[in-house]
């Protein structure tokens, strides 16, 4: 059943499935996606578990936040979501950006089990060319309006952004672009040793967005973590290898 809840003025849309007496699960999708993207994961568990599959703010049917949120803001919202809906010690399952929230939430709360799926949170290693492009763009944002005028300069910057920006960035609203710029620069490495939950890492070995090296670092730094990866899968390992993913996930959560 699809529902909405208002938390501190922010509307959050979610789908709730599974038996009422089942172990509760908080499922969080990646950037640019929504609850339907990870619905297959919910469907893999909701015969036994009570799944809350959330549209994070700025995604799906949940509107943008009113300011440029960081990972901590999303985490606080999900903590309040659990409190308001009486969700106790949920299993956290986070894909990509949802993994960021799961990492911070797991570090800040007494969670028993976490599943990180091709999760973000480790800063990427970038070449000098990347930083030259970034700082050139930042300089242009300041200089172009002065040289060409506010209107013409703004159009030139938008064209540059469209050519150089990632698909996720270009497809986001202005507010969510600000949110994304803030969140992708947050290093969550220091949170990893604070996670006390038994943690399963599920990864595609061909993942280009969050490479397997990120998973190996997480496995090393989280005290109780194990990694399962698949050689022919990318950033959406749960879609690339649905049967293998489902078998490992259910074994971890249901025994």
């Amino acid at each position: 059943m699809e529902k909405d809840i208002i938390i501190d003025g922010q509307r959050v849309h979610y789908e709730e499935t599974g038996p009422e007496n089942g172990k509760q699960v908080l499922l969080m999708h990646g950037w640019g996606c929504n609850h339907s993207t990870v619905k297959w994961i919910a469907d893999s568990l909701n015969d036994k578990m009570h799944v809350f599959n959330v549209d994070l703010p700025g995604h799906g049917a949940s509107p943008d936040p009113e300011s440029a949120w960081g990972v901590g803001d999303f985490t606080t919202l999900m903590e309040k979501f659990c409190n308001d809906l009486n969700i106790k010690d949920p299993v956290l399952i986070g894909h990509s950006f949802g993994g960021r929230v799961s990492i911070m939430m797991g570090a800040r709360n007494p969670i028993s089990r976490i599943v990180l799926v091709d999760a973000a949170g480790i800063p990427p290693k970038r070449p000098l060319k990347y930083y030259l492009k970034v700082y050139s763009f930042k300089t242009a944002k300041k200089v172009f309006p002065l040289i060409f005028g506010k209107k013409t300069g703004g159009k030139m910057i938008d064209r540059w952004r469209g050519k150089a920006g990632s698909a996720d960035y270009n497809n986001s609203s202005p507010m969510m672009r600000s949110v994304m710029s803030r969140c992708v620069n947050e290093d969550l490495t220091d949170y990893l040793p604070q996670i006390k939950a038994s943690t399963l890492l599920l990864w595609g070995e061909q993942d280009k967005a969050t490479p397997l090296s990120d998973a190996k670092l997480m496995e090393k730094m989280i005290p109780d973590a194990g990694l399962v990866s698949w050689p022919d899968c990318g950033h959406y390992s749960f879609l690339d290898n649905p049967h293998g993913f489902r078998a490992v996930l259910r074994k971890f959560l249901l025994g």
Side-chain angles (χ1 to χ4, degrees):
M1 180 181 297
E2 298 202 15
K3 302 178 179 181
D4 292 273
I5 186 173
I6 305 295
I7 303 171
D8 294 339
Q10 173 70 47
R11 180 165 58 84
V12 178
H13 182 76
Y14 65 100
E15 183 177 47
E16 185 176 353
T17 57
E20 290 288 338
N21 62 349
K23 174 66 176 175
Q24 295 170 315
V25 176
L26 180 61
L27 176 58
M28 293 172 282
H29 59 79
W31 189 272
C33 302
N34 56 56
H35 78 276
S36 65
T37 310
V38 291
K39 189 179 187 323
W40 187 91
I41 298 177
D43 291 345
S44 297
L45 297 172
N46 61 22
D47 62 322
K48 300 287 186 181
M49 308 185 82
H50 191 163
V51 183
F52 296 83
N53 186 2
V54 179
D55 279 351
L56 294 168
H59 298 81
S62 297
D64 293 0
E66 294 185 354
S67 60
W69 280 15
V71 178
D73 299 298
F74 284 93
T75 304
T76 297
L77 181 76
M78 288 297 96
E79 290 168 344
K80 292 181 178 180
F81 177 89
C82 290
N83 184 66
D84 289 359
L85 293 177
N86 198 33
I87 301 172
K88 304 295 186 182
D89 183 25
V91 173
L92 301 181
I93 304 179
H95 172 246
S96 194
F97 180 76
R100 288 183 183 272
V101 181
S102 298
I103 288 169
M104 188 175 288
M105 194 169 174
R108 295 187 348 185
N109 297 276
I111 301 295
S112 299
R113 296 208 170 187
I114 298 175
V115 181
L116 299 177
V117 183
D118 300 291
I122 306 297
K125 297 178 180 178
R126 292 174 169 135
L128 177 62
K129 182 179 178 181
Y130 168 83
Y131 292 101
L132 290 174
K133 183 172 70 173
V134 168
Y135 288 115
S136 295
F137 180 73
K138 288 184 176 180
T139 300
K141 284 178 67 178
K142 294 180 179 180
V143 173
F144 279 15
L146 298 177
I147 298 176
F148 303 105
K150 188 174 182 180
K151 185 176 180 179
T152 301
K155 289 181 178 179
M156 294 173 68
I157 292 167
D158 286 341
R159 284 198 296 271
W160 187 342
R161 180 185 288 118
K163 292 179 180 179
S166 69
D168 281 343
Y169 184 87
N170 291 328
N171 291 332
S172 297
S173 68
M175 177 58 74
M176 292 309 290
R177 288 177 181 176
S178 297
V179 172
M180 184 179 184
S181 295
R182 181 177 176 187
C183 288
V184 297
N185 289 312
E186 291 191 49
D187 183 357
L188 303 185
T189 306
D190 289 344
Y191 287 94
L192 299 175
Q194 301 175 45
I195 296 174
K196 306 306 180 188
S198 180
T199 302
L200 174 64
L201 305 165
L202 298 177
W203 233 266
E205 294 181 14
Q206 303 304 314
D207 191 337
K208 305 301 182 185
T210 55
L212 186 62
S213 58
D214 289 3
K216 292 179 178 179
L217 179 60
M218 290 181 186
E219 183 184 28
K220 181 179 179 180
M221 296 191 69
I222 297 172
D224 181 12
L227 169 63
V228 177
S229 63
W230 293 281
D232 298 322
C233 297
H235 190 54
Y236 293 83
S237 58
F238 59 96
L239 298 178
D240 294 337
N241 184 14
H243 299 298
F245 185 97
R246 182 179 188 274
V248 175
L249 180 67
R250 287 180 67 90
K251 180 67 175 178
F252 177 67
L253 296 180
L254 300 174

